[in-house]
Structures are given as C-alpha cells and as structure tokens.
Amino acid sequence: LEEARSDLASKVEALQSDNVSLKREIDRVADLKREADRVTEGLNQKIDGLTRENAILRVEIASLKYGESTAERSRKRTKTENLALTTLDSDNQVHVALFLGAKGMACLGQTCKHFGMGRVGTDGQMTSLAEDLAGQVVDGSASDYEKSVLMGGRKVKMLRELELMRSPLHFS
C-alpha cells in the first residue's frame, strides 16, 4: 500500500510538472499569436496601400495607352480618394509632424479646424491638436539637455526654439 501511494505521488508530481510546462507553452503560443496578428495587420495595411497605388497606376497606364488628354487624366485624378491627415492615427500624425517643423505646425493649426480648434488637452488646459503634436515631437526628439534649456510655454514655440538650437551658427 505504501509503495502504491509513493507511486501515485510521483505520478501526481510528474503530472503537475507537465501542467506547468504546458501552461508555459500556452503562454508562448499566445505571445506568438499576438505577434502574428500584429504583423498580419501591418501587412494588410501595406496590401491596401499597394492596391490603391496599383489602381492609380492602371488608370495612368490606360490613359497613356489609349491617348487620353491631360485634362481628362487630371479630371479623373480628382475623383480618386485622397488620404486626409485627419484620418491618420496619433503616431502617424506625429511622424508627419516631424517633417513639418515649427512653422509648418503653426500653419497647420491656422488652416485646418481639426488641428487648430481649442480643446481640453492631456494636462487639462485648452490647447489645439497642433500644439499637442508639437509637444509630442519635442518630447520624442529633444535630448535631456535640450529639454532643460527650452523655456516653457506654447509647444509650437518650444519646437521652433529646438529647431533654432539645432541649426548651425552663421557669422557675417
């Protein structure tokens, strides 16, 4: 009886060990699935973009092949769907804002209601989306030293000061 009990205890211990390793394997598979889903989403976005680009190129090829006039081609281009900056998510808007610079951000806020209208920001103050984007650009690209030198205030102004700090000195 003691031998059977000992045998059962070792089998239970082996099963518990197998259970722990199976749980680890399940967690690993779940992580792999999440990564695969993320990669799949990125690939689907690339496919969508390439499909749109392919359709545009097919129209241009057909117009060149069959001799449509430039006016006809331009009229057809206006019918294609344009990608608005307002439809992009926050990360992509920040990426685009990196190319605009401080003057471009200020102009964006002045010309587009979506970016220039005041709203309650993350800090509870009234701000615009252009200001938020400028702040994210400064936070993401400025070094600790540059951040310590920049004066507080409007984020677009801080971005302009950061650009001036990074520009080479010119002596006359």
Side-chain angles (χ1 to χ4, degrees):
L1 184 65
E2 194 63 36
E3 187 178 314
R5 183 179 287 157
S6 170
D7 187 42
L8 281 175
S10 66
K11 287 182 181 179
V12 166
E13 191 174 302
L15 286 173
Q16 287 175 339
S17 173
D18 286 347
N19 190 21
V20 168
S21 63
L22 285 174
K23 284 182 180 179
R24 281 191 207 124
E25 188 66 21
I26 288 171
D27 290 343
R28 189 180 71 78
V29 168
D31 289 342
L32 288 173
K33 184 183 181 319
R34 281 190 291 275
E35 178 67 18
D37 289 345
R38 187 185 64 77
V39 169
T40 301
E41 179 64 28
L43 289 174
N44 284 336
Q45 289 177 352
K46 283 185 179 180
I47 288 170
D48 291 343
L50 290 172
T51 302
R52 283 192 299 268
E53 185 178 343
N54 190 13
I56 292 169
L57 290 174
R58 284 180 189 267
V59 168
E60 288 181 12
I61 289 171
S63 67
L64 291 172
K65 187 175 181 180
Y66 298 114
E68 292 180 6
S69 70
T70 307
E72 291 173 18
R73 280 194 308 244
S74 65
R75 189 174 63 243
K76 285 187 178 182
R77 276 195 201 119
T78 59
K79 293 180 182 178
T80 61
E81 180 181 330
N82 294 323
L83 178 64
L85 187 59
T86 58
T87 62
L88 297 176
D89 65 357
S90 179
D91 292 336
N92 288 328
Q93 287 178 350
V94 171
H95 185 73
V96 170
L98 286 171
F99 295 104
L100 293 177
K103 288 182 181 179
M105 290 297 296
C107 290
L108 179 68
Q110 292 172 348
T111 58
C112 180
K113 182 170 76 170
H114 177 76
F115 291 98
M117 269 183 75
R119 59 183 180 78
V120 178
T122 55
D123 57 356
Q125 300 293 322
M126 286 298 287
T127 185
S128 67
L129 189 55
E131 284 286 323
D132 284 347
L133 288 174
Q136 289 178 25
V137 170
V138 169
D139 291 341
S141 66
S143 67
D144 291 336
Y145 171 74
E146 289 170 332
K147 287 178 186 176
S148 69
V149 173
L150 291 173
M151 303 299 268
R154 297 182 54 90
K155 302 295 185 184
V156 174
K157 183 178 178 188
M158 289 175 63
L159 180 59
R160 178 69 180 139
E161 289 176 5
L162 178 65
E163 289 173 353
L164 289 174
M165 282 187 342
R166 290 179 176 175
S167 64
L169 293 175
H170 296 282
F171 298 100
S172 14

